[in-house]
């Protein structure tokens, strides 16, 4: 987002960019040390009072993970606020970034690019999620130094999922913004902001705030109205951004005579991953199904579908866009790696979906503790098959990286004319 905004739409401060970048590296390094050396295991859940109630992990690793996430939150918040400030100055105010001038029929001479609209919606919601996460990490720090303190576990679980679900959803939407910016260069068709797009993404702005509630169905202490709101918001969230974006992609490709280089292929398959993972998420967000699927492998299956087969492919599409010739269809190495990656990825995901349908839990380090022998055997069998698909996925990943770095080295070695 920083690259596309700064090179095409608004002037961003490079020093702020480097500050954000290296601060993120510090946060990631801290989490890596806490996890691999300190053996800190809760991941992004960190559900209170899990890290502090008869802790499995050493105190320094808990504090390092907490501080690292806090650092990441501050870095993200800094970068987001700078991007929104710069684009707001460029396009005449925050409401213009949301496209409200299109609704008022007072469109400025300066067109609002879809990626700027999507970035504004996504990052504004993300600000609320990140602030929630920062507050939560301060609470965790206080708890780690003052063990006599006590906080409401239900409130902190709500905060945890509002932060984490919002962050993951916004990541997908920001990556979708790249599609609006890059795909027209391959199809030769414009993709402009219009009223439909504005209504869709402004509705998404509202719905993102409530979709996280579908993570809280099993909490009997929650107000019933919140759980109903979670299902309704989860269903409605699939319509505006997802449907409009996918319809737009179909229109872009239809009879466009696109040359199928690696970039449009990745964008198309990435949209497929978003669609499949999104549909599986809607199934899981349905209360009657959630009773059976919650805490099974279905949950990581739908998340990994739109992350691995959606976001990751959008990221690779962007990288190949930077270092490839636009209409180079002869990149057989990259395409070979791509199809191996997709085959391995969907095979791996299929094993998780089958595990979810068999009620195999997601959070077991080993399956030996299962009392149902048939479930134990099936879990082990599906895991063994998934390992082969993961190996296939890694081979495809390695081939794509090899092709990508070869392009970078070739580009660096080419003298400027």
């Amino acid at each position: 987002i920083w690259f596309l905004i700064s090179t095409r739409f608004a002037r961003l401060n490079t020093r702020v960019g480097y500050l954000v970048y290296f601060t993120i590296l510090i946060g990631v390094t801290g989490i890596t040390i806490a996890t691999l050396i300190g053996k800190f295991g809760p991941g992004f859940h960190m559900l209170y009072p899990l890290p502090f109630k008869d802790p499995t992990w050493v105190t320094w690793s808990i504090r390092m993970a907490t501080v690292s996430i806090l650092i990441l939150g501050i870095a993200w918040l800094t970068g987001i606020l700078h991007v929104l400030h710069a684009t707001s100055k460029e396009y005449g105010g925050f409401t213009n970034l949301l496209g409200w001038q299109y609704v008022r029929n007072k469109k400025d001479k300066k067109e609002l690019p879809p990626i700027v609209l999507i970035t504004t919606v996504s990052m504004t919601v993300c600000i609320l999620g990140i602030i929630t996460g920062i507050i939560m990490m301060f609470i965790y720090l206080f708890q780690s130094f003052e063990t006599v303190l006590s906080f409401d576990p239900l409130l902190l679980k709500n905060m945890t999922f509002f932060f984490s679900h919002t962050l993951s959803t916004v990541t997908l939407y920001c990556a979708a913004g790249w599609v609006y910016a890059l795909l027209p260069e391959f199809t030769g068709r414009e993709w402009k902001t219009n009223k439909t797009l504005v209504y869709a993404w402004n509705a998404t702005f509202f719905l993102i705030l409530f979709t996280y509630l579908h993570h809280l169905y099993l909490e009997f202490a929650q107000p019933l109205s919140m759980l109903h709101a979670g299902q309704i918001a989860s269903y409605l969230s699939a319509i505006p951004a997802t449907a409009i974006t996918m319809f737009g992609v179909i229109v872009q490709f239809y009879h466009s005579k696109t040359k199928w280089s690696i970039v449009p292929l990745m964008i198309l398959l990435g949209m497929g991953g978003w669609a499949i993972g999104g549909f599986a998420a809607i199934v899981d967000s349905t209360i009657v199904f959630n009773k059976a699927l919650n805490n099974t492998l279905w949950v990581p299956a739908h998340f990994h579908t739109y992350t691995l087969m959606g976001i990751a492919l959008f990221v690779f599409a962007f990288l190949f866009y930077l270092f490839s010739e636009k209409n180079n269809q002869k990149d057989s190495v990259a395409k070979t790696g791509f199809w191996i990656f997709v085959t391995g990825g969907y095979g791996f995901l299929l094993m998780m979906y089958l595990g979810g349908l068999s009620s195999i839990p997601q959070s077991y380090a080993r399956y030996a503790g299962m009392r149902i022998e048939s479930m134990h055997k099936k879990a082990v069998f599906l895991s063994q098959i998934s390992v082969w698909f993961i190996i296939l996925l890694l081979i495809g990943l390695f081939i794509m990286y090899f092709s990508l770095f070869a392009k970078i080295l070739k580009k660096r070695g080419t003298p400027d004319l």
Side-chain angles (χ1 to χ4, degrees), residues 135 142 400:
I135 293 170
F142 295 154
M400 285 196 294

Side-chain angles (χ1 to χ4, degrees), residues 57-276:
W57 311 280
V58 291
T59 303
W60 72 261
S61 70
I62 298 173
R63 290 175 181 169
M64 177 168 279
T66 303
V67 170
S68 299
I69 295 174
L70 191 59
I71 289 171
L72 283 172
I74 293 170
W76 290 329
L77 193 59
T78 303
I80 287 171
L81 290 173
H82 181 64
V83 169
L84 292 179
H85 173 69
T87 49
S88 181
K89 284 174 60 179
E90 187 72 24
Y91 290 93
F94 181 73
T95 57
N96 280 1
L97 295 182
L98 293 171
W100 290 5
Q101 67 274 27
Y102 289 82
V103 178
R104 296 191 301 258
N105 292 319
K106 294 182 179 179
K107 190 169 67 170
D108 297 339
K109 292 181 180 179
K110 191 164 190 176
E111 288 277 351
L112 178 68
I115 187 175
V116 176
L117 167 64
I118 296 167
T119 297
T120 303
V121 168
S122 302
M123 289 188 171
T124 303
V125 176
C126 202
I127 288 172
L128 301 175
I130 289 172
I131 290 175
T132 302
I134 289 173
I135 293 170
M136 190 173 66
M137 290 301 100
F138 273 119
I139 290 174
Y140 274 43
L141 274 182
F142 295 154
Q143 179 74 72
S144 70
F145 284 103
E146 294 291 340
T147 55
V148 295
L149 291 175
S150 179
F151 300 94
D152 184 348
L154 187 62
L155 173 62
L156 284 169
K157 177 173 181 178
N158 286 14
M159 293 174 69
T160 300
F161 278 99
F162 179 69
F163 163 65
S164 55
H165 180 85
T166 300
L167 196 65
S168 63
T169 304
V170 162
T171 304
L172 175 61
Y173 287 160
C174 284
W178 304 346
V179 175
Y180 282 82
L182 303 181
L183 187 56
E185 296 188 22
F186 295 88
T187 61
R189 291 176 172 169
E190 292 184 330
W191 200 346
K192 291 185 176 183
T193 300
N194 53 38
K195 281 188 179 181
T196 304
L197 206 64
V198 170
Y199 283 129
W201 281 98
N202 275 260
T204 299
F205 173 87
F206 177 76
L207 293 169
I208 295 175
L209 297 173
F210 298 97
T211 51
Y212 84 97
L213 293 170
H214 67 236
H215 290 283
L216 311 176
Y217 290 156
L218 296 187
E219 267 54 72
F220 60 87
Q222 301 277 6
L224 196 60
S225 58
M226 288 179 63
L227 307 185
H228 290 159
Q231 178 164 321
I232 293 169
S234 299
Y235 271 59
L236 292 179
S237 66
I239 299 171
T242 311
I244 293 297
T245 302
M246 290 181 182
F247 180 77
V249 169
I250 293 169
V251 171
Q252 281 284 314
F253 279 124
Y254 185 69
H255 284 190
S256 66
K257 298 181 180 178
T258 302
K259 295 182 179 179
W260 288 100
S261 61
I262 189 70
V263 176
L265 267 177
M266 287 180 167
I267 288 176
L268 184 61
L269 269 291
M271 294 302 298
W274 182 7
I276 296 168

